[in-house]
């Protein structure tokens, strides 16, 4: 256990060193785009929605309704971005993972370090975004700060399965399916912009399967101070199950790819 933690820390140091040289390239996707969504949807569209009454949203402004959903969606998008092309690059193009396991590092250590770096990216980006939401007046309850660990949890819930999927690919064509049939529909039908109860029944139930819906629901209830402890427990357990299963699949995929 101690050895795994130490090896994972060394892998995290590697990714942190790389990020110190490349962080400027992530500014648009990590900070600017979420801010634009917040301004356009929360303030622009929100002023139109609020002018027609906020009864359908439980008496809160549209900005306060969508801001927690955008926080969770940002976490998912960052996690997916960091577990697709960088992972395939390490396996296929630059093959730095092969160099890593030529040292005492095991495939599991490589996965733990990669996931730790993704956690850092999700946590740092969402922390800044949460401050911006607060400055815009999008938070209603002090409990909203707990949306940050929820954002981290949903990011890790999707990072493991996507990294595992990346180990099965021969080229990056498969990522288009992830974004077209996974990330985009989940983003649109996660309840971030409107209650999923407005959807047809079969789409509504598909939304409940998505880990993003559980994160959006929990972040919103925390932000509005309307947390149901039992429903929150279901949300957390569901996300933890995705994280644990995804990490196991990622370790299995890396091991099969790197050592056969």
């Amino acid at each position: 256990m101690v050895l795994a933690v130490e090896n994972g820390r060394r892998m995290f140091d590697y990714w942190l060193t790389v990020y110190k040289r490349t962080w400027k390239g992530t500014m648009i996707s990590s900070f600017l785009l979420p801010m634009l969504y917040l301004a356009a949807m929360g303030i622009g569209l929100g002023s139109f929605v609020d002018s027609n009454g906020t009864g359908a949203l439980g008496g809160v402004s549209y900005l306060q309704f969508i801001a927690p959903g955008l926080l969770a969606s940002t976490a998912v998008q960052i996690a997916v971005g960091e577990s697709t092309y960088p992972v395939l690059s390490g396996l296929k193009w630059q093959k730095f993972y092969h160099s890593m396991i030529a040292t005492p590092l095991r495939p599991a250590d490589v996965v733990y370090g990669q996931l730790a770096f993704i956690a850092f990216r999700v946590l740092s980006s969402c922390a800044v975004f949460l401050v911006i939401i607060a400055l815009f007046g999008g938070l209603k309850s002090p409990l909203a700060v707990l949306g940050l660990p929820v954002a981290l949890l949903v990011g890790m819930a999707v990072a493991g399965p996507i990294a595992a999927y990346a180990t099965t690919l021969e080229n990056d064509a498969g990522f288009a399916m992830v974004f077209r049939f996974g990330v985009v529909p989940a983003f649109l039908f996660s309840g971030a912009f409107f209650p999923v109860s407005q959807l047809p029944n079969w789409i509504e139930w598909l939304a409940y399967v998505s880990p993003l819906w559980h994160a959006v629901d929990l972040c919103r209830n925390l932000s509005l101070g309307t947390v149901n402890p039992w429903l929150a427990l279901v949300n957390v357990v569901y996300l933890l199950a995705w994280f644990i299963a995804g990490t196991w699949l990622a370790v299995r995929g890396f091991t099969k790819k790197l050592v056969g």
Side-chain angles (χ1 to χ4, degrees), residues 52-161:
N52 290 283
T54 58
L57 301 177
V60 301
S61 70
Y62 191 61
L63 174 64
Q64 292 173 331
F65 180 82
I66 70 165
L70 290 177
L71 178 69
S73 300
T74 298
V76 167
Q77 292 181 28
I78 292 173
V80 171
E82 292 292 345
S83 54
T84 50
Y85 291 95
V87 170
L88 191 60
S89 177
L91 291 171
K92 287 291 181 180
W93 303 323
Q94 296 180 306
K95 295 188 174 183
F96 46 79
Y97 290 140
H98 294 79
S99 302
M100 292 173 179
I101 65 163
T103 70
L105 292 173
R106 306 166 302 165
D109 300 325
V110 174
V111 173
Y112 299 150
Q114 182 83 48
L115 293 180
F117 173 70
I118 294 174
F120 165 76
R121 286 277 291 113
V122 169
L123 196 61
S124 57
S125 298
C126 288
V128 174
F129 190 44
L130 190 64
V131 172
I132 294 171
I133 292 174
L135 294 176
F136 273 92
L139 306 180
K140 191 176 179 182
S141 166
L143 290 176
V145 71
L146 296 178
L148 194 56
V150 176
L152 173 62
L153 184 55
V154 72
M156 303 316 296
V158 300

Side-chain angles (χ1 to χ4, degrees), residues 156-251:
M156 303 316 296
V158 300
I162 298 297
Y165 173 67
T167 65
T168 67
L169 300 178
E170 294 298 325
N171 55 59
D172 59 347
F175 292 146
M177 293 180 58
V178 172
F179 287 99
R180 290 174 184 169
F181 302 112
V183 176
V184 173
F187 178 57
L188 294 176
F189 301 114
S190 64
F193 299 106
F194 53 85
V196 295
S197 58
Q198 303 296 317
L199 295 169
N201 284 342
W202 67 276
I203 300 180
E204 181 182 350
W205 281 103
L206 285 178
Y208 294 148
V209 174
S210 164
L212 181 54
W213 177 84
H214 290 268
V216 169
D217 186 64
L218 186 51
C219 283
R220 177 169 294 136
N221 286 326
L222 288 167
S223 180
L224 300 180
T226 56
V227 180
N228 178 319
W230 291 110
L231 181 57
L233 181 62
V234 171
N235 295 144
V236 171
V237 169
Y238 189 74
L239 294 174
L240 279 174
W242 270 74
F243 169 55
I244 293 171
T247 301
W248 180 81
L249 289 171
V251 171

